[in-house]
């Protein structure tokens, strides 16, 4: 029943990549979501070997994007870095690169949003030739100014639909979308475009804008409801548990993984303990 | 050029109601937005006399709502309190009662949203007979769990449109709606339903979920863009400046009012200093 569970590496961020891979193996978890800064610690080839030798699937690589900047030199740097992100994703044998599209910064909001579409248009072909699909992650509106001007699933799909579905999809993270009155309808619309599904809960009251995520069951999110919609839309891939939370990061990794498994079964799959 | 400016009382929360009324008079501000807890300090009749004697218009009274609760006894208490809020609004000669609709709490999100519609249906007739229009305030999605399950202007209009427009409208607060890709289209749709327009900026990075509001110009919000849409939709009423910010609250009231006037002219009306 845990065969779709993927451990996003940020959830056990006290662990090195090797420790996370070993932890998954010990726990019987067969997918892992990787972060580029942790891949960089040992290099993509060594990371690929580690993951392959452990028999793990890579559910996604985080992250490319950050398309919004008024500075041409900075844009060129980011363009090159996004191509490296594609290369690394391909080297890992993964097929999904998550895009955090970039916040508004000092630009007009409409301009920033146009830069996202332009950036994806520039990257999608390169990614496709490397067997990598771009996955736009709509982020919670509270990140609009500084992380992502793409704030709803509807808007992410508007952007994605300009491209073939095998080139550009979306990643749906419960923390970012649960509040949206349109979320069920938009998940249905996303059929064929769902490149990933990520879960964590929303802590109440939100203790911190960045680190206010909790284990499933520690907040109000109805996971079976959202998973049901994602399943009905035809997505049958891995489900990543991705938690940004200082208290969880400070716990021993094996303890966190055990809690993740238990909460995943109970609150995401809806199985009684 | 400041004839539409209204000081929402929370912006100078170190001031009593009398001090706020006097402060508006000194500054040449002709509208004030009132809060029930401050009205309660002297009673609605004394508050009405204060405001009337100063020649101030009351742009809105904050707040009714909080319709979401599973407890029938608590629901009855809130129902009675909402009727008192209507009575107080009418006693003040005001025509707009702002509704903060209530967060999800421990209920399913759909149930909580149904309770909001039911609560408004229960209150709207009573309010209408007292000459008070209910103004649904869609709040930022980061408040969905604990303050308002009504999170977009689109959703607020879906609820409001079940009632005559003179009975139920919406209040548009830039802090809550600026991120929404649909905001321009939904403001146009809101023609005839706009019961209030409130402004403040979004601080970056957001220092606090509740108190992260700033003076206009201290964040990324494009006020002329939103005001232009509101004007085009036919709203020509007061524009409230409503700021929750500890540092601003700690400043002398007259200093805050002077800053509000200057920022309003420059960043909301778009006039050069």
């Amino acid at each position: 029943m845990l065969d779709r569970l993927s451990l996003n590496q940020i959830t056990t961020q006290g662990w090195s990549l090797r420790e996370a891979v070993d932890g998954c193996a010990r726990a019987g978890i067969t997918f892992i979501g990787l972060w580029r800064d942790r891949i960089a610690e040992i290099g993509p080839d060594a990371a690929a070997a580690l993951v392959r030798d452990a028999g793990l699937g890579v559910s996604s690589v985080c992250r490319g994007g950050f398309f919004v900047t008024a500075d041409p030199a900075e844009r060129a740097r980011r363009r090159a870095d996004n191509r490296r992100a594609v290369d690394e994703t391909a080297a890992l044998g993964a097929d999904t690169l998550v895009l955090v599209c970039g916040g508004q910064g000092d630009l007009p909001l409409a301009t920033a949003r146009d830069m996202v579409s332009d950036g994806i248009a520039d990257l999608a072909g390169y990614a496709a030739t490397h067997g990598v699909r771009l996955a736009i992650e709509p982020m919670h509106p509270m990140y609009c100014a500084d992380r992502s001007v793409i704030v709803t699933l509807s808007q992410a799909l508007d952007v994605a639909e300009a491209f073939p579905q095998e080139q550009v999809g979306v990643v749906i993270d419960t923390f970012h979308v649960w509040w949206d009155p349109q979320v069920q309808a938009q998940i249905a619309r996303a059929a064929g475009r769902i490149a990933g599904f990520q879960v964590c809960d929303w802590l109440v009251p939100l203790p911190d804008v960045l680190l206010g995520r909790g284990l499933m069951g520690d907040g109000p999110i109805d996971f079976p409801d959202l998973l049901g919609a994602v399943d009905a839309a035809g997505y049958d891939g891995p489900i990543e548990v991705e938690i940004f939370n200082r208290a969880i990061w400070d716990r021993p990794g094996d303890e966190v993984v055990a809690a993740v498994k238990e909460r995943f079964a109970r609150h995401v799959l809806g199985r009684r303990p």
Side-chain angles (χ1 to χ4, degrees), chain A residues 96-101 133-137 167-171 195-196:
Chain A
T96 303
L97 175 62
V98 173
L99 300 181
V100 174
C101 292
R133 188 189 202 189
L134 303 179
I136 303 171
E137 181 165 16
Q167 285 188 18
V168 180
V170 295
V171 55

Side-chain angles (χ1 to χ4, degrees), chain A residues 45-61:
Chain A
D45 294 334
L50 253 184
V51 167
R52 189 176 53 238
D53 292 348
L56 285 179
V58 177
S59 47
S60 74
V61 172

